[in-house]
Amino acid sequence: MSKKKCSFSKPSLAWPTVQRLSEYLLILEHYINTGNEVISSSELADIYGNTASQVRQDIFRLQNTGRMGHGYSVKTLVNTIRRTLGLETGTNVIIVGCGKLGSAIAEHVPFNSYGMSLKGIFDKDPDIIGNRVSGLKVENVQFLTKAIKNRAVSLAALCVTHSSAQEVADMLVSAKIRGILNYTRKHLKVPSCVIVQDLQIICSFIQLAYVCGN
Amino acid sequence: MSKKKCSFSKPSLAWPTVQRLSEYLLILEHYINTGNEVISSSELADIYGNTASQVRQDIFRLQNTGRMGHGYSVKTLVNTIRRTLGLETGTNVIIVGCGKLGSAIAEHVPFNSYGMSLKGIFDKDPDIIGNRVSGLKVENVQFLTKAIKNRAVSLAALCVTHSSAQEVADMLVSAKIRGILNYTRKHLKVPSCVIVQDLQIICSFIQLAYVCGN
DNA sequence: TAGATTGTTAATCGATTAACAATC
DNA sequence: TAGATTGTTAATCGATTAACAATC
């Protein structure tokens, strides 16, 4: 036994590639509804806003087979992206904090369409516990750790208040969560085997304000 | 007169740098509350999760003055980041779509603390129009274009349904918005002078699921 | 075949990391 | 002074772009 405490197989795709692929997926699923069965790298690049060369490079990494002189089958491409990103494996997710943001995510994010399953919503407020949100009963956050283990949950969206963010993150870590989408303004302290993606909304505004100039 | 239709001064900081700086800012504002007045590049790197070298490189770009052998004054650093990112200039923002996500943003995002001002919330649903959210009355989306011009709005968060996303985006463009935070699952078609930041929540889940392995 | 577009390698560009002199 | 840490340049690394042969 090696002495490393936690591990996951190194992803074979670079982060920027993964980001683009997930966005291509949404675009292609929309594109399929227009009736077009084939798309060229330059068409996809026009829609996404990058270059045909980058699109081909990304698709090349997937070992997807297009047809020279014609383009890519949209259906095949969608399937390949889904398979490569692991969307067939049934990732279980939970939401912690059922305020406006938490319940917005529960109700609007189409987990089921992307091979994910929302396995629980937790809050500490007695007025909120027991409410039905997106077909689930909001549970008491004290059952969080047990639920993560019993329901094989790998990802959590953290939508609690700023002040309880670290405390809840500690619970998630102790229950061996694999990844946290952090929507709180607090920067979380977690061991390196838990991956945190910081998604503070105010940061998006700050960043966009900067690039838009003033 | 040049024939380019719209312009903004090219930002002098690279996008990855801007992203990190906005996150450093939140960290430092928190750090200041711990009573520490000085922080070293390696301390900040430990908290953020990168290297001291990168932190120094980022701060170098700001032309911030630290003190060799001691570290950086947290207060000075906060001020420099705020000034450099343009947070003193009073950016006006609006939210379009006042469902759960739109109202969560209105109520939880601390615009005022970052030199921004929420100037309006719009919806098309008569049951929602007129509601008070975050101190503002939700307005009819038909007044959107006029409001953007009259209130000098530069950024909009788009939180409408999937199906009306492009239509509303077109209104924003025609009113000469500068940037759009797109929370809808639709990829928007806008002229290149309008900057769109795609923030589809499902994509964050897909990306995190991938890097967490399966 | 001719035209179009992919598949794939090589070149370029930009961001990160390393190194260390400067100096508090 | 000695120790620590910044400021800044140079080296490395990785991602994007260019190029073009392959081939449908």
Side-chain angles (χ1 to χ4, degrees), chain B residues 43-129:
Chain B
E43 284 171 311
L44 181 50
D46 278 349
I47 300 173
Y48 179 79
N50 58 350
T51 63
S53 190
Q54 186 170 65
V55 167
R56 285 204 301 284
Q57 189 64 257
D58 288 337
I59 294 175
F60 176 56
R61 302 275 159 78
L62 301 177
Q63 300 177 283
N64 187 89
T65 56
R67 207 161 129 232
M68 285 178 175
H70 288 251
Y72 302 92
S73 153
V74 182
K75 222 179 205 166
T76 305
L77 202 44
V78 163
N79 289 337
T80 310
I81 294 175
R82 285 178 160 267
R83 195 177 53 250
T84 307
L85 294 182
L87 300 183
E88 330 277 69
T89 59
T91 304
N92 293 334
V93 309
I94 56 168
I95 295 168
V96 192
C98 192
K100 288 224 165 107
L101 183 59
S103 51
I105 293 175
E107 291 182 359
H108 296 310
V109 176
F111 295 108
N112 296 316
S113 307
Y114 296 93
M116 299 189 188
S117 181
L118 181 58
K119 290 293 187 187
I121 310 174
F122 299 85
D123 206 288
K124 68 174 179 186
D125 182 342
D127 291 344
I128 290 177
I129 293 166

Side-chain angles (χ1 to χ4, degrees), chain A residues 4-191:
Chain A
K4 66 183 173 217
K5 290 196 210 81
C6 45
S7 66
F8 20 70
S9 55
K10 216 159 292 168
S12 52
L13 297 171
W15 181 243
T17 309
V18 173
Q19 289 188 106
R20 284 192 299 269
L21 286 174
S22 64
E23 296 191 37
Y24 294 165
L25 181 59
L26 301 207
I27 290 171
L28 293 168
E29 286 174 333
H30 224 262
Y31 192 81
I32 226 166
N33 295 332
T34 65
N36 287 297
E37 295 186 351
V38 172
I39 193 167
S40 69
S41 56
S42 61
E43 284 171 311
L44 181 50
D46 277 350
I47 300 172
Y48 180 80
N50 58 349
T51 63
S53 189
Q54 185 169 65
V55 168
R56 284 204 303 282
Q57 189 64 257
D58 288 337
I59 294 175
F60 175 57
R61 301 276 158 78
L62 301 177
Q63 300 177 282
N64 186 89
T65 56
R67 207 161 129 230
M68 285 178 176
H70 289 251
Y72 302 91
S73 151
V74 182
K75 222 179 204 167
T76 306
L77 201 44
V78 163
N79 289 337
T80 309
I81 295 176
R82 284 178 161 266
R83 196 178 52 250
T84 308
L85 294 182
L87 301 183
E88 329 277 71
T89 59
T91 304
N92 293 334
V93 309
I94 55 168
I95 295 169
V96 193
C98 192
K100 288 223 165 106
L101 183 60
S103 50
I105 293 175
E107 291 181 359
H108 296 309
V109 176
F111 295 108
N112 297 316
S113 307
Y114 296 94
M116 300 190 189
S117 180
L118 181 58
K119 290 292 187 184
I121 309 174
F122 299 84
D123 206 289
K124 68 174 180 186
D125 183 343
D127 291 344
I128 290 177
I129 294 166
N131 287 354
R132 285 203 92 78
V133 175
S134 192
L136 293 170
K137 247 190 185 152
V138 179
E139 299 169 72
N140 191 317
V141 75
Q142 73 182 80
F143 303 128
L144 181 60
T145 308
K146 201 164 279 178
I148 291 172
K149 294 183 177 177
N150 291 342
R151 301 172 202 169
V153 172
S154 19
L155 304 184
L158 190 59
C159 305
V160 301
T161 59
H162 191 224
S163 55
S164 49
Q166 184 61 56
E167 187 189 342
V168 176
D170 292 342
M171 293 172 73
L172 294 169
V173 168
S174 76
K176 305 229 186 307
I177 201 88
R178 307 189 76 159
I180 300 174
L181 293 161
N182 179 27
Y183 283 95
T184 78
R185 246 171 307 143
K186 186 93 195 327
H187 198 91
L188 305 174
K189 201 171 168 167
V190 301

Side-chain angles (χ1 to χ4, degrees), chain B residues 16-37:
Chain B
T17 310
V18 173
Q19 288 188 107
R20 284 192 299 270
L21 285 174
S22 65
E23 297 193 36
Y24 294 165
L25 181 60
L26 302 206
I27 290 171
L28 293 168
E29 286 174 332
H30 225 262
Y31 192 83
I32 227 167
N33 295 333
T34 65
N36 287 296
E37 296 186 349

